[in-house]
Amino acid sequence: MSFGASAGVHAADLPGEQFVIQGPADGVPSAGVVIEDSQFIKNHFATLQAFTSKNSVRGEKPTSLTNCTSYPSTSCPEDAFFNYKAFFGNCASESDHDCVLSVTAKDESGTLHKATFVEEFPGKNQYSFNGNPEANLPASSSAFIARIPTLPHSHGDLYLITVNVDGNKEFKSSKFVVNDFRAGIFAVSMVDGRYSTPHPNTELSFVNEVGMVSNTRIPFDQIKGGPAGCAQSTATRCALAWPLPTNVEITMNLKLRTKINGWLHGRLSDVSATIGVASDGDQLISVSGKPLVVPTVFQYFHLDALPKSVADFYASKTDFMHSGTGFGGSTWGQSTSILKDYISYTKYQFPEAIAWYSAIGDKANSTSTAWSFRTIESNNLPGQCNAATSNQLTGIVTTNSNMFVAMPPDFNREDQTLDYKVSSPHYLPDGSVFKGSYNLVMRSEYARCLYGFTKAPVSATVSILSADGTEQIATSVLGERDGWLYLSANNFTFSSPTLKVKLTQVKEEAKPEAAPTASPTPVSKQVISCVKGKLLKKISGVNPKCPAGFKKKAA
């Protein structure tokens, strides 16, 4: 489809789930943007790479790059810098680690449907590697295909279950750390063909600095030509993505030795979560929710006809043609087109996203269904409360908004509110107004620490402020169960509203002190002497009496 001076970007008859990043279709020098986060979950691949540099410092130009199949090894020594990408695959048994225990779906009637394992996909390849639990390095594993025969989608009953994790190990450190964790479910059909598959670049010349993962992530259809809409692929098969059913609650259960903690953000509605510990010490995580419909922004404009909002935003930026992914040139410095694919989910990048919204007429290019969640890397809430829930999940933030702040909500000390910023085109592709949803699930003890609350019940008010400061009316629900606070706000409109959540609590009334109980007046005991012939007994008591046959002796 094309928009005025823009280059065509996506076949109109393809579902949004098959969206693929690509260069401008007409080859004319252009600038474009993409804001679509499923691309970070699809087409993952395994890699473990070791780097050395002159001064052993991250960010330096590397002097060597080695693809590793194990750690440590002669060619991949402990004192090198490492990056890894891995999958958490299917649990073959409950004693396995870093894997998916089960996936289930509950339909509107309450019937439970269980996914059954079919095969690893893409399976192991030349870049697969062994794990090292002592170093906190998981094995590379694989995503997998599962079948839910009683819950088919529009093109069959197969689903791609993909849970992937990225991490690294610093120079001379002994432990790997998790940088990013992602989980997603995609409705798929399997198609045979010939495809170039996602893989790491192994040439040192492609890597500008230590810590960079240079890669190819877009499957290419070598028979039809052009990018393929696969959610995952091998050299001969493609898991082609289709819309998920949106009226079912899907639950994913994970068993993790490589633990995750902090906050999650995702694409779920009616979200809930539990966390526990297995008998072997692994982390047990269960996340439930319904898929959401999320708008996609992806469009090019010819460089000689950039919309005013885009031209004005980049007017003072000298690196315009170097910041993003280049297309059409033989080297990075000679790119004739640029795709702004780096816009991160932070409040600092909202102005750039909004400039592009204006350029496309405040209307999304396409939509797709999504069921996914990811870890949040940064944390901007008070540290003393983070410590109260360390080494466990603190909260989950989910929304259908195209753009959002992928961090815990800001704590506004002045208003004593949790502020959450979202942004999307105002309209969907069919011209209808896009209605937003927002869910916050927060550990109760964290909320009570943050506000200094007691264990008494908590209530909340939600205000939704439009970009011009006017307040919107939306439905909101708050509940507390099983140690979690659940808040949901729905049916607000865009382009860039701020949600303000204020938690309150009625002060517990002091219980009146019980009146002191009067001490009983002590009763004195008496002692009498009793005789029977020559026998003498002394009897004591409140009202003593002589035994039978004895007589009280006169005083």
Side-chain angles (χ1 to χ4, degrees):
M1 55 187 175
S2 61
F3 295 80
S6 64
V9 296
H10 200 240
D13 58 344
L14 291 180
E17 289 75 14
Q18 294 179 24
F19 168 76
V20 177
I21 294 173
Q22 54 189 291
D26 58 10
V28 176
S30 304
V33 68
V34 60
I35 309 176
E36 202 277 347
D37 62 344
S38 77
Q39 298 302 303
F40 298 104
I41 303 175
K42 298 176 181 176
N43 298 305
H44 200 68
F45 57 90
T47 181
L48 175 63
Q49 294 184 324
F51 299 82
T52 61
S53 66
K54 181 179 179 181
N55 299 302
S56 296
V57 176
R58 182 206 279 258
E60 281 187 318
K61 183 74 176 176
T63 53
S64 71
L65 184 159
T66 305
N67 290 285
C68 310
T69 57
S70 63
Y71 166 87
S73 65
T74 302
S75 56
C76 300
E78 291 181 87
D79 60 354
F81 181 97
F82 287 82
N83 277 329
Y84 77 81
K85 288 179 173 291
F87 295 95
F88 290 166
N90 175 63
C91 293
S93 71
E94 292 188 358
S95 62
D96 286 354
H97 309 281
D98 292 334
C99 55
V100 181
L101 277 170
S102 66
V103 172
T104 59
K106 185 185 296 184
D107 63 26
E108 291 178 303
S109 70
T111 302
L112 193 66
H113 307 265
K114 186 174 182 179
T116 57
F117 174 80
V118 175
E119 62 175 313
E120 290 187 338
F121 192 79
K124 293 183 178 180
N125 58 33
Q126 61 181 315
Y127 303 110
S128 299
F129 57 90
N130 298 320
N132 184 330
E134 289 72 25
N136 200 38
L137 174 67
S140 55
S141 194
S142 173
F144 62 96
I145 300 295
R147 173 174 277 115
I148 311 180
T150 55
L151 191 70
H153 52 83
S154 61
H155 283 70
D157 60 3
L158 297 180
Y159 295 82
L160 173 71
I161 315 298
T162 181
V163 179
N164 45 67
V165 59
D166 297 350
N168 72 274
K169 187 193 75 64
E170 296 288 345
F171 284 108
K172 300 181 180 178
S173 174
S174 61
K175 297 285 186 180
F176 286 79
V177 296
V178 173
N179 293 328
D180 205 353
F181 170 96
R182 318 171 194 90
I185 297 174
F186 300 89
V188 298
S189 61
M190 304 304 290
V191 180
D192 294 333
R194 287 193 293 116
Y195 306 94
S196 61
T197 58
H199 61 275
N201 287 324
T202 59
E203 298 296 325
L204 185 61
S205 59
F206 283 102
V207 182
N208 296 325
E209 61 182 45
V210 171
M212 175 181 173
V213 179
S214 184
N215 62 81
T216 298
R217 295 188 59 246
I218 303 173
F220 191 86
D221 191 321
Q222 296 178 340
I223 296 176
K224 296 180 180 179
C230 313
Q232 196 73 49
S233 66
T234 67
T236 59
R237 299 170 72 207
C238 165
L240 197 61
W242 301 98
L244 283 163
T246 57
N247 59 346
V248 297
E249 179 187 71
I250 300 175
T251 299
M252 180 183 290
N253 294 302
L254 299 162
K255 183 174 182 286
L256 306 181
R257 178 163 57 192
T258 307
K259 298 177 175 62
I260 62 173
N261 54 61
W263 285 73
L264 301 176
H265 67 85
R267 303 302 196 179
L268 303 166
S269 68
D270 302 330
V271 63
S272 63
T274 60
I275 184 169
V277 179
S279 58
D280 59 5
D282 279 7
Q283 189 180 52
L284 297 175
I285 294 176
S286 178
V287 177
S288 300
K290 295 179 180 178
L292 285 173
V293 175
V294 183
T296 295
V297 171
F298 178 56
Q299 192 163 325
Y300 282 98
F301 294 90
H302 295 160
L303 287 175
D304 60 2
L306 289 178
K308 186 177 185 304
S309 60
V310 172
D312 288 349
F313 182 84
Y314 294 107
S316 61
K317 295 174 174 54
T318 57
D319 63 345
F320 177 66
M321 290 302 295
H322 297 272
S323 185
T325 295
F327 289 91
S330 58
T331 66
W332 174 257
Q334 296 175 347
S335 299
T336 57
S337 294
I338 194 74
L339 178 66
K340 303 296 182 179
D341 58 354
Y342 56 79
I343 296 178
S344 60
Y345 296 99
T346 69
K347 59 186 176 183
Y348 306 107
Q349 305 239 228
F350 270 62
E352 187 168 7
I354 292 170
W356 285 101
Y357 293 163
S358 178
I360 63 175
D362 213 10
K363 186 177 180 180
N365 307 111
S366 63
T367 61
S368 63
T369 54
W371 191 101
S372 64
F373 62 91
R374 300 172 59 186
T375 53
I376 292 175
E377 298 177 34
S378 303
N379 207 321
N380 64 341
L381 289 178
Q384 70 272 16
C385 295
N386 295 329
T389 55
S390 61
N391 298 319
Q392 58 185 336
L393 286 182
T394 303
I396 306 174
V397 176
T398 67
T399 179
N400 63 352
S401 177
N402 172 255
M403 182 75 179
F404 57 97
V405 177
M407 298 170 71
D410 279 319
F411 181 58
N412 186 323
R413 293 186 179 279
E414 182 177 351
D415 296 339
Q416 290 290 291
T417 58
L418 296 173
D419 293 356
Y420 188 74
K421 195 156 183 64
V422 293
S423 187
S424 274
H426 191 74
Y427 301 102
L428 294 173
D430 63 3
S432 61
V433 174
F434 179 47
K435 295 296 182 69
S437 69
Y438 162 80
N439 294 270
L440 171 65
V441 181
M442 184 164 49
R443 190 173 288 277
S444 297
E445 63 181 295
Y446 182 84
R448 285 179 164 80
C449 172
L450 187 64
Y451 285 92
F453 286 162
T454 67
K455 293 187 179 297
V458 174
S459 60
T461 57
V462 182
S463 57
I464 301 173
L465 303 180
S466 297
D468 61 3
T470 59
E471 188 165 344
Q472 298 187 39
I473 297 175
T475 59
S476 61
V477 178
L478 176 85
E480 183 175 5
R481 63 183 184 273
D482 301 326
W484 294 87
L485 285 170
Y486 292 85
L487 184 134
S488 176
N490 299 283
N491 297 317
F492 54 88
T493 59
F494 294 90
S495 294
S496 186
T498 298
L499 290 84
K500 300 177 78 67
V501 181
K502 189 176 183 67
L503 301 182
T504 56
Q505 185 178 56
V506 176
K507 290 184 178 180
E508 293 180 303
E509 295 183 4
K511 295 181 179 179
E513 293 185 5
T517 303
S519 300
T521 303
V523 179
S524 58
K525 293 182 179 181
Q526 300 177 14
V527 179
I528 59 174
S529 297
C530 301
V531 295
K532 182 179 179 181
K534 295 182 179 181
L535 296 177
L536 176 67
K537 284 187 176 182
K538 293 192 179 286
I539 305 298
S540 64
V542 175
N543 186 21
K545 293 182 179 179
C546 290
F550 284 81
K551 292 182 179 180
K552 182 178 180 182
K553 183 180 180 181

